[in-house]
Amino acid sequence: MPSVAIKHVEPYTDEWLHQPICYVRRVIGLLGSEVADWWEGPSEPRDATVKLTDGTALVWDEESGWRLGTFVSGGPGQHTELSGVRYLGHGLLPRPERVPQALQDARAGVGASSAWRPCYRSHRNCRDGFDVALDFYSRLVDA
C-alpha cells in the first residue's frame, strides 16, 4: 500500500514565500507568446504578476485568485496596480489549463469573470491547508 505524505510548509519561510511560483510558471507556459514579463510580488498576500504583450497584466494572489487589468505600475517585490480590473473566476487556484480561456472570457466580459473581487480566503490563515494545494504544483515541476 503506497503511503501518502502531506507536506505543510512553515509560514514565512523562503519555501513558503516562493511556493506559488510553480503554479504561476505552469500558467505562464500555457499563455506562451502572450507573456512579456513576470515577477513575484511581496507577501501579505503572496502574489505574482504576469505582464502581457498587449499592455495588460494578470495578477494572482492567495486571497482572490487571478485578475486582469491594464498595467499601471509595479515590479518585483511590489504589489501591482491595475486599472479596469476583472476577476477571472473559477476559484482561487484554477487548473492552469483553464486560465487561458478564463483570460479570454475576462477580456470579453463574459463567463465567470466579474468586476467584483472575490475573497476565497485570508492570507492570515496560514495553516488552512492552502499550502498543500500549492505543493501539488511544486511536485509536478520536481517530477
Side-chain angles (χ1 to χ4, degrees):
M1 177 180 279
S3 65
V4 177
I6 295 176
K7 180 180 179 183
H8 292 277
V9 177
E10 190 63 30
Y12 297 97
T13 61
D14 285 344
E15 182 181 7
W16 181 86
L17 289 170
H18 300 295
Q19 198 177 31
I21 297 310
C22 292
Y23 169 71
V24 172
R25 283 184 176 156
R26 287 187 54 93
V27 171
I28 289 167
L30 292 165
L31 293 174
S33 62
E34 283 194 74
V35 177
D37 196 6
W38 76 276
W39 57 83
E40 292 179 74
S43 61
E44 297 188 342
R46 293 175 289 180
D47 69 25
T49 298
V50 179
K51 197 168 179 189
L52 303 174
T53 56
D54 65 359
T56 63
L58 279 171
V59 175
W60 176 88
D61 75 57
E62 66 179 320
E63 291 184 335
S64 58
W66 289 100
R67 62 186 177 272
L68 170 70
T70 302
F71 181 79
V72 175
S73 66
Q78 302 173 5
H79 289 297
T80 297
E81 182 182 348
L82 303 174
S83 66
V85 172
R86 289 203 64 88
Y87 291 85
L88 271 59
H90 302 294
L92 182 57
L93 204 62
R95 287 191 332 265
E97 298 79 17
R98 293 187 79 180
V99 175
Q101 183 60 53
L103 170 60
Q104 296 307 316
D105 289 351
R107 285 176 170 153
V110 299
S113 71
S114 171
W116 300 102
R117 179 184 185 268
C119 190
Y120 299 109
R121 67 184 291 270
S122 170
H123 70 275
R124 291 177 181 87
N125 296 338
C126 296
R127 298 188 191 280
D128 63 356
F130 184 62
D131 59 326
V132 175
L134 285 174
D135 187 56
F136 171 78
Y137 291 99
S138 298
R139 287 183 284 119
L140 285 178
V141 171
D142 294 341

